[in-house]
């Protein structure tokens, strides 16, 4: 058993370092889809988070509760909902997005948005409200005041960003349902791991798992680095 | 220039603060606002600064008479409200003092920012982290920052609270200088003999009403006419730091 594991690990490392085009194509799909999704979700999520923390409008508390509840919705349910919307018989079927990378991006936006909104809302609400008032009273425009407040809570927002990205880079359900796991097109790291493991090709699964671990480590390390710098300054 | 309100109404869920408050402040006037905790001093200043919504009434600014909602942006443009503990943005003392300037102007206006820091006694501290400053130093940065934004009116919420004696004196000196430079000032405070002496008017806020208070050593309320700048400059000069009592007025020509 130990020998099997070691052999698979060695094979996995060999696959990675030999530049196996299959493996790197999967990694590229994963990273490009998730980066696109997070880049679209980021302004939307933090914008909503700011409004929920600072604006007063009817239904604000209800919206906060909704986004907090959406945190615990399984990825596969999000995938199923979007599948029904994007399938031929669905209301958005004419867009012909199902089984494309764009559909995966949509799914990942839907998954990361509640994380960004809920954690972003906590970040803004936990920040010092005097920052907003000081900016306004010193003549800053609303946009500049928003930027100022955002800078003041940047570490908490970075943590939200890391959590949001972590949620989508490793999810299987929505990507499988919306992308269809098509080789060289919509096959990303989690769907490939699921497929290869079911086929008994553990080496490829381990290689892709290692990439996911490295990505998570890099994300966490960069967050710690930023937070460390902040601690020195304040 | 003039700022104020007519028939101002403001209530919180379980408390009615103002129900028809009238108030006016002119440029160059220094108003000492006193009152018990919860009387509404802070709320009144925040409404006048465009930071807190009024429930009703008319806001006055330089001849304009509008509701709070339509006036708030203009109020923010012409007034600065200083929190009891001023907020320091993440960055240096210079960054904080230069905050009111647009990014594009910061380099060009560098000398002005340094001059404001010198004015508040913070020369040589421009590169220090603003959040590492003491309470008194924060107040001075906030005053320099307010000066950079060139407001017509400055509202200060208990600026001398939580300061030691030296920091309090420095802060009061700066307030006196701002007043002498023609800024309209409201300073809320629980008690300060020196502020009472420096101020043109001392109003006490209680049960939603403003009532004039007698000046130190006088039996009844008096408003020093701001049309007489010499009299005001004399009084600001003569406010004795130790006792807070006014000295005998010197003649400016003497």
């Amino acid at each position: 058993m130990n020998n099997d594991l070691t052999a698979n690990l060695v094979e996995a490392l060999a696959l990675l370092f030999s530049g196996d085009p299959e493996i790197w194509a999967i990694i590229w799909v994963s990273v490009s889809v998730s980066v696109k999704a997070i880049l679209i979700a980021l302004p939307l999520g933090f914008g909503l988070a700011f409004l929920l923390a600072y604006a007063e409008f009817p239904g604000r508390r209800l919206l906060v509760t909704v986004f907090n509840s959406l945190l615990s919705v399984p990825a596969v349910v999000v995938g199923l909902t979007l599948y029904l919307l994007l399938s031929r018989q669905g209301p958005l079927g004419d867009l012909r997005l199902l089984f494309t990378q764009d559909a995966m991006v949509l799914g990942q936006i839907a998954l990361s948005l509640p994380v960004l909104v809920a954690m972003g809302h906590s970040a803004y609400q936990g920040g010092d409200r005097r920052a907003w008032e000081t900016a306004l009273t010193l003549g800053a425009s609303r946009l500049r005041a928003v930027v100022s407040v955002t800078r003041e809570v940047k570490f908490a927002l970075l943590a939200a960003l890391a959590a949001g990205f972590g949620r989508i880079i490793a999810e299987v359900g929505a990507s499988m349902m919306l992308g269809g796991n098509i080789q060289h097109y919509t096959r990303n790291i989690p769907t490939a791991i699921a497929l290869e493991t079911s086929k008994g090709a553990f080496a490829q699964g381990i290689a892709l798992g290692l990439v996911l671990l490295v990505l998570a480590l890099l994300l966490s390390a960069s967050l710690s680095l930023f937070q460390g710098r902040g601690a020195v300054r304040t | 220039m003039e700022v104020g309100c007519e028939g101002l109404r403001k209530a919180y869920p379980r408390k009615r603060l103002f129900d028809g408050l009238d108030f006016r402040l002119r440029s160059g006037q220094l108003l000492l606002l006193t009152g018990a905790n919860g009387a509404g001093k802070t709320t009144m200043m925040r409404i006048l600064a465009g930071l807190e919504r009024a429930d009703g009434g008319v806001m006055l600014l330089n001849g304009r008479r509008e509701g709070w909602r339509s006036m708030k942006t203009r109020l923010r443009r012409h007034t600065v409200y200083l929190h009891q503990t001023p907020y320091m943005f993440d960055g240096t003392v210079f960054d904080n003092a230069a905050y009111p300037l647009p990014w594009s102007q910061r380099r060009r206006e560098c000398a002005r920012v340094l001059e404001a820091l010198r004015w508040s006694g913070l020369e040589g501290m421009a590169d220090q982290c603003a959040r590492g400053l003491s309470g008194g130093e924060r107040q001075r940065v906030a005053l320099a920052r307010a000066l950079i934004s060139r407001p017509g009116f400055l509202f200060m919420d208990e600026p001398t609270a939580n300061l030691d004696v030296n920091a309090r004196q420095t802060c009061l000196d700066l307030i006196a200088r701002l007043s002498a430079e023609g800024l309209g000032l409201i300073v809320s405070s629980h008690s300060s003999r020196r502020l009472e002496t420096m101020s043109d008017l001392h109003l006490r806020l209680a049960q939603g009403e403003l009532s004039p208070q007698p000046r130190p050593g006088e039996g009844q309320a008096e408003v020093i006419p701001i049309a007489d700048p010499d009299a005001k400059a004399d009084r600001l000069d003569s406010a004795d730091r130790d006792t807070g009592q006014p000295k005998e007025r010197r003649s400016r020509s003497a």
Side-chain angles (χ1 to χ4, degrees), chain A residues 130 133 137 144 148 152, chain B residues 46 83 85 87 99 131:
Chain A
R130 287 177 306 158
E133 292 180 349
T137 201
R144 190 169 166 219
S148 298
E152 297 299 296
Chain B
R46 287 167 57 83
H83 294 93
T85 311
Y87 185 80
Y99 184 86
R131 289 188 176 160

Side-chain angles (χ1 to χ4, degrees), chain A residues 56 128 130-131 133-138 140 142 144 148 151-152 154 233-234, chain B residues 46 53 72 76 79-81 83 85 87 89-90 99-101 106 129 131 145:
Chain A
E56 283 177 24
D128 195 327
R130 287 177 306 158
E133 292 180 349
T134 301
L136 288 181
T137 201
L138 290 171
R142 276 180 176 271
R144 190 169 166 219
S148 298
R151 284 188 61 195
E152 297 299 296
K154 56 184 172 288
R233 273 208 303 270
T234 56
Chain B
R46 287 167 57 83
R53 196 176 55 224
K72 68 176 177 187
R76 286 174 189 164
T79 66
V80 167
Y81 169 78
H83 294 93
T85 311
Y87 185 80
F89 290 103
D90 188 18
Y99 184 86
L101 300 171
R106 285 197 184 179
C129 172
R131 289 188 176 160
R145 189 165 63 180

Side-chain angles (χ1 to χ4, degrees), chain A residues 52 56-66:
Chain A
L52 291 174
E56 283 177 24
F57 55 89
R60 188 173 62 95
R61 284 190 184 184
L62 180 70
L63 266 178
V64 173
T65 311
V66 167

Side-chain angles (χ1 to χ4, degrees), chain B residues 25-46:
Chain B
L25 179 77
R26 281 169 288 164
S27 292
Q29 219 172 5
L30 170 54
L31 164 69
L32 171 63
L33 185 63
T34 55
N37 284 338
K41 305 187 292 294
T42 300
T43 305
M44 180 182 141
M45 288 192 289
R46 287 167 57 83

